[in-house]
Amino acid sequence: KNKKVLVTHQLPGDRIHDLSAHCEMNVWMDPGLLSPESLREELAGCSGLVCLLTDRIDAELIAANPALEFVSSMSVGVDHIDVKALTARGIPVGHTPGVLVDTTADTAFALMLAAARRVVEADHFIRVGNWTQENAWAPDFFTGKDVSGATLGIVGLGEIGQAMARRAAGFGMEVLAWNRSPRQVTGITSVSLDELLQRSDFVSVHVALNDDTRGLLDARRIGLMKPGAVLVNTARGGIVDEAALAAALSSGQLSAAAIDVFETEPVPLDNPLLALPNVVVAPHIGSATTLTRAKMADIAAINAIAALSGEPMPHCVNPEVYRG
Ligand code: GLV
Ligand code: GLV
């Protein structure tokens, strides 16, 4: 019970309270995010860390904490953590897969529909008083793009990509997918990434951000996309070249985009994507339902309790630390 564990934010769910029975738990209580300076100070001497994706756990921070025995993140993505540096020290890293799959696919599908049918633009149009007798129900008024029956290209056919495909099937879409290690899934056609970009009316990104996927959708690949296509990103901003995407949207090559994740978050207001009316944006809310966030926090707590009990974490990104 004398081991110190830092929890970098107040968490929802029930299981986080159980953690205090296993350690001396220090929860950062400010509503705002923990600054890198405060994180460094608070983590000193801790055996464990329960963090969010906004906490950067880099090699320097890891080296400065020789007592660290585990890291448990309340996220499925771990691109904010130097997993290699932790693995080298034999330190397990926990994450929260599974529970956010349907919620995140719902968000991707909602954003895709919103971009295709110009929902946000239309909402704004009414509120600023632009809906008048002159344009009332003109035949070409707010015309968008059909989702039903269109072709959806899924970049990354993991659990969330497959959940997206199930939703697409309900809309009568043809589903293409690319995955680094090809996967056979009924009803989904596996293609190369270039072919997917050339054939899809909608492209939705569902890969993790890592050294292989950073900048995956670069200017060349965006240039391959079908005229009038729509890009949806609920994965990580760093996967898409934002400047190249903004250029393709301005030139009219792409008709719209729906973006939940940005290279820099919170997104600076001078990001060129924010100046475009045909871009629907959201502040990284893919998994943001009350129930799913509670489930994610519970898994983060369960991973931490397992580590404190000397057991393998049930959801570990580097299980090799348990062999050897
Ligand atoms: C959200 O982006 C997550 O990684 O859980
Ligand atoms: C639409 O409202 C229609 O009646 O066609």
Side-chain angles (χ1 to χ4, degrees), residues 16-252:
I16 195 67
H17 305 293
D18 302 343
L19 185 60
S20 60
H22 296 82
C23 63
E24 188 187 313
M25 182 165 100
N26 170 19
V27 182
W28 184 255
M29 298 301 278
D30 284 11
L33 297 176
L34 192 57
S35 69
E37 297 72 42
S38 303
L39 174 57
R40 200 174 328 112
E41 284 168 21
E42 298 294 322
L43 190 60
C46 285
S47 304
L49 171 63
V50 179
C51 66
L52 303 181
L53 56 81
T54 43
D55 301 312
R56 186 139 294 283
I57 316 303
D58 58 20
E60 197 185 323
L61 184 70
I62 293 163
N65 284 280
L68 197 61
E69 291 172 10
F70 72 87
V71 175
S72 170
S73 184
M74 183 190 146
S75 63
V76 66
V78 291
D79 51 285
H80 55 299
I81 301 172
D82 191 332
V83 176
K84 257 189 215 138
L86 290 166
T87 305
R89 288 240 322 256
I91 297 173
V93 179
H95 71 149
T96 64
V99 290
L100 47 57
V101 168
D102 283 315
T103 302
T104 305
D106 284 353
T107 304
F109 218 87
L111 289 174
M112 181 171 77
L113 286 166
R117 300 303 303 278
R118 306 171 61 181
V119 172
V120 177
E121 221 185 315
D123 176 292
H124 181 73
F125 184 85
I126 292 187
R127 291 174 196 269
V128 299
N130 282 346
W131 196 20
T132 63
Q133 289 301 331
E134 277 73 60
N135 56 34
W137 194 86
D140 62 351
F141 186 51
F142 268 98
T143 48
K145 194 176 164 71
D146 279 302
V147 168
S148 295
T151 297
L152 171 65
I154 295 178
V155 177
L157 196 53
E159 284 192 273
I160 300 171
Q162 292 180 44
M164 188 69 177
R166 288 194 293 276
R167 284 156 181 73
F171 279 69
M173 300 182 89
E174 179 185 1
V175 181
L176 310 177
W178 170 81
N179 201 64
R180 180 162 297 275
S181 41
R183 286 195 178 157
Q184 293 310 316
V185 177
T186 309
I188 303 178
T189 308
S190 271
V191 293
S192 70
L193 183 53
D194 284 5
E195 183 180 347
L196 178 148
L197 296 169
Q198 285 161 343
R199 285 178 55 190
S200 299
D201 302 302
F202 296 87
V203 172
S204 191
V205 181
H206 300 285
V207 288
L209 176 61
N210 53 43
D211 292 344
D212 296 328
T213 61
R214 189 173 299 281
L216 182 70
L217 297 189
D218 57 9
R220 181 191 74 82
R221 290 211 171 95
I222 291 171
L224 293 176
M225 288 176 73
K226 208 165 158 173
V230 174
L231 182 72
V232 181
N233 188 5
T234 53
R236 283 294 184 273
I239 298 159
V240 177
D241 180 336
E242 288 176 348
L245 174 62
L249 287 158
S250 309
S251 74

